[in-house]
Amino acid sequence: MKTALIFGITGQDGSYLARLLLSKGYRVVGASRDAQMASLENLRALGVLDQVAIQSVSLTDFPGVLRCLSKLRPDEIYNLAGQTSVGLSFDQPVETFESIVIATSNLLEAIRTIGAPIRLYNSCSSECFGETTTPSREDSPFRPRSPYAVAKAAAFWQVASYREAYGIYAASGILYNHESPLRPERFVTQKIVRAACRIAAGSKETLELGNLSIRRDWGWAPDFVDGMYRMLQIEKPKDFILATGKSHSLEEFLDAAFRAVGLEWRDHVETRKDFLRPLDLRESVGNPARAAEVLDWRPTVSFEGIVERMVSAC
């Protein structure tokens, strides 16, 4: 039985990944900064809470990371932890940097120190590419435009450096936006879906948003964790983009969500200038050709299907 250690197991991706790995016969251990205080609702919602073990480990504490890895000797590590909000990173740039860059350094150095054949998956982000007019590929240049993107770009190159210098099996998944009913409401997609459901149920609220013209490549979260798993099963580690190859505007997302509950979004939405980010990307879309060719990975749920599934889970 293989052991998988998931940092960030309580989040959207971590919970879906735990379910996937359990279905493949893994022993799954999750790591949280404070296991006693961590919210376990996502794991409970997926029916896997009683099948995983949760340990208290902070990725910014190197001795603690080293002790954890020395004790568990996992076959695979999935690093999904860290500050994940682009918008929040403008308000908390130092916390964002430490939770991503220092954390990744500690993991890589702990793996090198132990010397065991541990395979590491590192979650990177499409935000690293910055503004794009054509679908980005794995060799497209990084032009990060937020503290979050800068941190993710730095972590990406840390992983590449340790892979090349020390022969560590480490790979980064450059993930585009991916959604599910487990998304917290601080993310704009879930904010839209929850508001649409409340308004359809009789709420008189007005949904306040920022820029509706931004375009993103939105995929289905369970598809993306399947891609993470596949990245660690090939013989030699490589970095991969996970994306759908298609972009949609936030206005399209709004329209799909409100239509799903029988409403016209324009009757219930206002835009506010103070909701705009200091820097934002007009469009972000990826080319998943390498993942399709090497990993036999493809998205399975359409944009409309993603919105419908999120609405139906309200």
Side-chain angles (χ1 to χ4, degrees), residues 171-286:
S172 290
I174 307 174
L175 273 54
Y176 280 71
N177 296 61
H178 46 288
E179 312 299 330
S180 79
L182 298 187
R183 263 293 189 219
E185 197 167 338
R186 62 188 175 87
F187 286 83
V188 68
T189 48
Q190 190 68 287
K191 178 180 178 179
I192 289 170
V193 167
R194 295 279 178 84
C197 291
R198 290 193 300 267
I199 293 169
S203 171
K204 302 301 181 183
E205 68 190 272
T206 296
L207 175 59
E208 297 177 329
L209 297 169
N211 186 359
L212 304 185
S213 65
I214 60 167
R215 301 183 64 86
R216 295 292 184 266
D217 186 329
W218 275 297
W220 179 236
D223 285 343
F224 280 57
V225 301
D226 176 58
M228 298 175 192
Y229 164 75
R230 291 176 186 236
M231 286 183 208
L232 295 194
Q233 310 313 310
I234 60 177
E235 183 179 355
K236 294 183 179 180
K238 288 185 177 181
D239 304 318
F240 291 90
I241 282 176
L242 296 185
T244 71
K246 300 176 182 179
S247 69
H248 297 270
S249 69
L250 191 61
E251 183 174 316
E252 289 178 80
F253 195 101
L254 259 176
D255 184 60
F258 275 80
R259 276 192 292 107
V261 295
L263 297 174
E264 165 57 52
W265 70 267
R266 291 174 181 83
D267 298 331
H268 307 281
V269 176
E270 290 183 359
T271 58
R272 290 176 47 177
K273 290 184 178 180
D274 57 324
F275 278 22
L276 301 178
R277 293 172 180 170
L279 289 171
D280 208 349
L281 309 181
R282 290 188 297 272
E283 182 161 13
S284 178
V285 60

Side-chain angles (χ1 to χ4, degrees), residues 10-70:
T10 60
Q12 170 190 258
D13 292 1
S15 298
Y16 281 119
L17 179 61
R19 184 177 69 176
L20 175 69
L21 294 176
L22 287 167
S23 73
K24 295 183 179 296
Y26 279 68
R27 172 195 178 209
V28 176
V29 180
S32 175
R33 278 176 292 184
D34 188 340
Q36 292 184 337
M37 298 297 293
S39 172
L40 305 176
E41 288 308 308
N42 286 340
L43 293 167
R44 184 175 290 109
L46 296 181
V48 298
L49 178 58
D50 62 345
Q51 301 174 59
V52 302
I54 309 292
Q55 295 196 358
S56 295
V57 186
S58 172
L59 275 176
T60 56
D61 171 29
F62 178 73
V65 174
L66 186 60
R67 284 194 300 271
C68 176
L69 269 58
S70 298

